[in-house]
């Protein structure tokens, strides 16, 4: 049943005269408002705000919150996004008064604890990456990409080399070419082979003395580990270029291998994916980057450094690209990340990766019987199924399946990404799900593929809103209520 009551606007629920609080009678001499404020600042009439009791308002927002799907309410296999369970302890620790009551302009000697936490975070991220220098500043993964490319550009400028082309495999996340363009570079795509790997011949043909960076995602967006990654990084280096690793898929390899060890020179982390802090709806996130020794001088300023027993922000970095974000970065997210890493420890992080890969392979083995998975017999932490055959045979698209899964109580997988798979459904279960949940999801997915096209074409049937027109909703949002 569609729930329409809960979606009525507060304006529509308004009852004249209703109040949340009533103030006591004034017991001091009143002064007219025009004695207190300049005339232009006084409205002619009160604003037309909704009038409601406090319980009405609380119920409205609590009911609205239940219309959404979240990792705390539903299985959320959104490929590439790593929507894992977020431990509540990390939420509690990041909202301790000593964390949330800090002011970014406090003198450094009064925030030694936070600076120590940030310094330790830099050290831990360097260790996991196998790259020695870290900046915690970028505000999200995409921002980390752009920051790292600015670092690469500064490096080549410093060497007097005119390199401004970024090579990007055709399976890459859309942020990769967008970040390269924002950083003032030119992008050139590199083809994938039919097996879903970077095409080495195409890569070799496109490398030259203009190549600045190869941006590579490993495991790639098909959920496949690039087995020739050492060879790839070698030929890029031989051509004088740098290798950037898009670290969004670190939850498949951390503790098992390190980007620095297979030849990456720069990378970003998505703490809100890999280290399990909440994300969605555009934030909040963080996008720390780790870089090789020869790129360290160009990192954004400031960096947290340790002098004896004291921690301080180092601004004295003459080759730095400068600031990319206000203050210290998204500290709340970094605190959750720090707690997550410490809770698991080195071995624990390896177990996280192993379990993420195990869960994905279990689901892959169940799903491929009824939904083809064109690339790879096995996968890393995610895999990409294709509804192309269902589309041709029964007119059921990836979008139809995604929408109908909501009726079955599951958030949809990522759809239509990566672009190199037709009718793509990109499924990432994460390591925090039980076998029972994975089985229930596989069964629901199977049932959906057996349902009729008519039923699927206007699914979902049970949600407050069915199929909004997505482009119009983004381009022309209606933000003003008119009675
Ligand atoms: C999520 C993601 C990004 C971008 O990260 P944000 O933190 O969302 O900016 C980049 N590449 C890949 C492969 C991703 O999955």
């Amino acid at each position: 049943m569609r729930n329409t009551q809960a979606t009525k606007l507060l304006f529509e629920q308004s009852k004249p005269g209703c109040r949340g609080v009533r103030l006591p009678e004034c017991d001091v001499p009143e002064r007219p408002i025009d004695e207190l404020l300049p005339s232009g600042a006084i409205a002619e009439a009160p604003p037309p705000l909704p009038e409601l009791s406090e319980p009405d308002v609380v119920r409205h927002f609590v009911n609205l919150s239940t219309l959404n799907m979240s990792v705390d309410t539903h299985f959320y296999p959104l490929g590439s996004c790593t929507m894992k369970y977020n431990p509540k302890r990390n939420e509690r620790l990041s909202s301790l008064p000593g964390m949330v009551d800090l002011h970014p302009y406090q003198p450094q000697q009064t925030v030694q604890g936070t600076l120590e936490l940030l310094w330790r975070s830099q050290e831990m991220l360097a260790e996991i990456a196998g790259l020695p220098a870290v900046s915690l500043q970028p505000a999200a993964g995409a921002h980390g990409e752009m920051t790292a490319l600015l670092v690469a550009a500064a490096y080549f400028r410093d060497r007097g080399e005119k390199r401004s082309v970024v090579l990007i495999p055709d399976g890459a996340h859309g942020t990769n070419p967008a970040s390269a363009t924002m950083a003032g570079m030119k992008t050139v795509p590199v083809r994938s082979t039919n097996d879903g790997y970077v095409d080495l011949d195409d890569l070799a043909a496109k490398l030259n003395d203009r190549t600045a960076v190869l941006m590579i995602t490993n495991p790639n967006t098909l959920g496949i580990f690039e087995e020739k990654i050492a060879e790839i990084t070698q030929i890029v280096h031989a051509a004088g270029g740098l290798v950037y690793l898009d670290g969004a898929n670190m939850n498949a390899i951390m503790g098992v291998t390190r980007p620095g060890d297979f030849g990456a020179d720069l990378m970003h982390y998505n703490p809100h994916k890999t280290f399990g802090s909440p994300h969605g709806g555009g934030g909040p996130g963080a996008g720390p980057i780790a870089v090789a020794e020869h790129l360290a001088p160009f990192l954004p300023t400031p960096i947290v450094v340790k002098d004896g027993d004291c921690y301080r922000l180092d601004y004295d970095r003459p080759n730095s690209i400068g600031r990319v974000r206000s203050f210290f970065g998204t500290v709340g997210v970094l605190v959750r990340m720090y707690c997550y890493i410490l809770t698991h420890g080195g071995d624990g992080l390896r177990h996280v990766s192993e379990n993420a890969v195990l869960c994905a392979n279990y689901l892959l083995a169940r799903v491929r019987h009824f939904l083809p998975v064109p690339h790879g017999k096995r996968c890393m932490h995610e895999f990409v199924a294709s509804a192309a055959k269902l589309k041709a045979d029964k007119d059921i698209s990836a979008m139809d399946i995604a929408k109908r899964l909501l009726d079955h109580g599951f958030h949809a997988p990522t759809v239509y990404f990566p672009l190199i798979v037709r009718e793509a459904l990109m499924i990432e279960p994460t390591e925090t799900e039980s076998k029972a949940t994975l089985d229930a999801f596989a069964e629901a997915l199977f049932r959906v593929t057996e349902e009729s096209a008519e039923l699927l074409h206007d699914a979902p049937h049970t949600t407050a809103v069915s199929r909004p027109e997505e482009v119009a909703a983004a381009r022309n949002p209606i933000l003003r209520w008119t009675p």
Side-chain angles (χ1 to χ4, degrees):
M1 275 294 274
R2 234 183 256 301
N3 182 350
T4 49
Q5 184 57 35
T7 56
K8 266 195 168 177
L9 301 178
L10 284 179
F11 289 96
E12 294 165 314
Q13 297 179 39
S14 175
K15 293 182 265 326
C18 270
R19 287 283 175 278
V21 287
R22 278 177 208 283
L23 298 175
E25 288 289 316
C26 182
D27 60 357
V28 293
E30 275 187 45
R31 282 175 64 190
I33 188 101
D34 46 12
E35 269 179 29
L36 300 168
L37 291 175
S39 56
I42 302 165
E44 277 159 23
L49 295 177
E51 297 174 72
L52 293 144
S53 70
E54 183 170 326
D56 284 340
V57 175
V58 170
R59 283 176 195 151
H60 175 72
F61 285 108
V62 172
N63 285 333
L64 271 188
S65 76
T66 65
L67 299 181
N68 216 348
M69 284 189 162
S70 69
V71 279
D72 284 354
T73 57
H74 293 86
F75 179 52
Y76 210 113
L78 199 63
S80 214
C81 292
T82 315
M83 303 296 284
K84 63 172 78 173
Y85 173 72
N86 301 298
K88 296 300 165 232
R89 179 186 48 242
N90 300 352
E91 297 303 306
R92 228 166 36 240
L93 294 173
S94 67
S95 43
L96 288 173
M99 298 292 173
V100 292
D101 292 345
L102 292 182
H103 192 281
Y105 281 134
Q106 267 177 249
Q108 290 186 35
Q109 62 271 26
T110 68
V111 292
Q112 284 293 302
T114 298
L115 291 179
E116 177 174 356
L117 184 151
L118 295 176
W119 181 81
R120 287 180 184 276
S121 297
Q122 290 173 185
E123 297 286 299
M124 293 191 303
L125 294 182
E127 174 65 24
I128 297 166
L131 292 165
V134 169
S135 166
L136 301 173
Q137 262 189 43
H143 193 206
E145 293 168 19
M146 191 186 83
T147 304
L149 290 173
L150 292 174
V151 165
Y155 166 76
F156 287 121
R157 221 171 18 249
D158 187 59
R159 290 166 62 91
E161 292 188 61
K162 289 197 174 3
R163 290 176 179 266
S164 59
V165 172
V166 179
L167 301 180
I168 304 178
D170 54 12
H173 195 263
T175 53
N176 289 188
S179 303
T181 307
M182 296 278 289
M185 296 185 164
K186 190 172 167 299
T187 63
V188 172
V190 179
R191 267 199 306 274
S192 302
T193 63
N194 290 338
D195 304 338
Y197 296 98
V198 168
D199 184 329
L200 289 190
D201 294 334
D202 195 43
L203 173 63
K206 284 169 179 165
L207 282 168
N208 55 41
D209 61 3
R210 295 279 148 167
T211 307
V213 178
L214 168 72
M215 287 184 100
I216 192 166
T217 311
N218 194 25
N220 66 24
T221 58
L222 294 167
I224 300 174
F225 191 83
E226 293 281 355
E227 285 163 15
K228 297 200 172 146
I229 187 66
E231 195 180 330
I232 291 172
T233 55
Q234 212 174 2
I235 63 172
V236 175
H237 290 153
L242 297 171
V243 176
Y244 179 84
L245 180 97
D246 178 328
N249 296 337
M250 282 300 284
N251 66 319
I253 59 169
M254 58 180 172
V256 181
T257 182
R258 305 191 304 172
D261 295 347
F262 57 66
D265 304 288
L266 319 95
M267 69 167 288
H268 79 257
Y269 285 96
N270 304 72
H272 44 291
K273 298 176 182 175
T274 309
F275 304 119
S277 53
H279 65 298
I289 59 171
V291 303
E293 196 71 60
H294 56 292
L295 300 167
F298 308 98
L299 283 177
T301 179
I303 301 272
V304 187
V305 294
K306 186 171 188 229
D307 286 336
D309 289 337
C310 290
Y311 299 88
R312 66 178 173 82
L313 294 170
D314 181 14
Y315 290 91
D316 184 19
R317 305 175 59 82
N319 290 320
S320 166
I321 60 165
R323 247 188 200 290
V324 296
R325 196 189 181 289
S326 54
F327 306 119
F328 316 117
T330 322
V331 174
V333 173
L334 299 173
V335 174
R336 291 171 175 88
M337 172 191 83
Y338 181 77
C339 298
Y340 185 93
I341 297 175
L342 279 192
T343 307
H344 285 282
D347 290 345
L349 290 185
R350 186 186 174 106
H351 287 149
V352 166
S353 302
E354 288 168 348
N355 284 332
V357 173
L358 181 63
C359 285
N361 277 285
Y362 178 74
L363 205 50
L364 168 65
R366 289 211 53 171
V367 166
R368 70 168 352 135
H369 297 297
F370 56 89
L371 210 52
V373 177
H375 301 282
K377 279 202 186 57
R378 294 273 167 77
C379 63
M380 294 295 285
H381 63 303
E382 65 193 354
F383 61 91
V384 183
S386 167
K389 189 164 182 320
L390 266 179
K391 175 84 180 150
D393 296 350
K394 287 176 64 184
D395 193 27
I396 291 175
S397 67
M399 184 61 83
D400 295 330
I401 296 172
K403 295 290 187 187
R404 181 60 177 156
L405 276 170
L406 301 172
D407 287 334
H408 287 265
F410 292 98
H411 192 280
T414 294
V415 286
Y416 300 103
F417 174 71
L419 305 176
I420 52 180
V421 175
R422 285 190 300 138
E423 297 295 327
L425 287 148
M426 185 191 214
I427 302 174
E428 177 176 14
T430 83
E431 72 282 1
T432 57
E433 297 299 333
S434 66
K435 178 172 173 296
T437 300
L438 301 182
D439 285 335
F441 175 71
E443 277 148 33
L445 190 55
F446 175 68
R447 261 181 283 142
V448 169
T449 59
E450 295 282 292
E451 287 178 325
S452 74
E454 294 72 56
L455 183 69
L456 264 61
H457 283 166
D458 45 39
H461 302 278
T462 55
T463 52
V465 176
S466 182
R467 290 207 190 190
E469 205 188 302
E470 283 157 13
V471 175
R475 296 266 162 86
N476 310 310
I478 300 166
L479 302 176
R480 187 178 291 275
W481 178 73
T482 32

